[in-house]
Amino acid sequence: MAKPPLSIPDSELDVLKVLWDRGQATVREVLETLKEAGHVGNKEGKPWSYATVATLLDRLETKKVVVSDRADQAFTYRPVVSVGDIQQRRVESLVDKLYQGEPGLLVLHLLKSHPIDPGQALEVRALLEEMSAESADKSRKSSTHPKPGHSA
């Protein structure tokens, strides 16, 4: 069964990136890290505040993306999902919303509009060749094994 869609807006992602980098942090530590990293504010242009970061962490906890340790006076938050999990979900959402569920259309768009490193190009080519070979194998197997009840 597919995972339910998980919406992580950019402001929540900024907070989550701090937790991934640090492993865990309090609201104040996240706020200081965002300010030090040059994140002057969220996408609406509002400067980061303690209340904003606390709200974003609460939302992430509600979404079960982070957990908090409430043993100390200052809650400590830590991520419970990986960077790869969030990347996968955001790409799936992008494919569904902008490319009608067709990942090949996204790949074509990216390859046409964004140059890639020659080493990455070799990896892409190898992956495409592997996918083509697997597809050809499946076609051969299905044509050589007729379905039961049908004559060859």
Side-chain angles (χ1 to χ4, degrees), residues 17-37:
K17 286 177 181 176
V18 172
L19 294 178
W20 284 326
D21 289 344
R22 294 180 62 110
Q24 65 179 29
T26 64
V27 175
R28 186 152 318 281
E29 290 168 337
V30 171
L31 175 61
E32 290 169 3
T33 302
L34 287 168
K35 287 181 175 181
E36 287 171 8

Side-chain angles (χ1 to χ4, degrees), residues 33-89:
T33 302
L34 287 168
K35 287 181 175 181
E36 287 171 8
H39 291 274
V40 292
N42 57 24
K43 74 177 187 179
E44 290 84 30
K46 296 179 184 173
W48 290 106
S49 70
Y50 185 93
T52 301
V53 173
T55 298
L56 294 172
L57 284 164
D58 284 342
R59 287 181 188 164
L60 288 167
E61 187 170 27
T62 299
K63 294 176 182 181
K64 299 184 182 344
V65 174
V66 303
V67 293
S68 63
D69 177 1
R70 299 167 188 256
D72 297 326
Q73 191 170 359
F75 295 173
T76 302
Y77 293 86
R78 67 178 176 79
V80 292
V81 297
S82 70
V83 174
D85 289 339
I86 297 301
Q87 288 172 335
Q88 180 70 28
R89 289 182 182 195

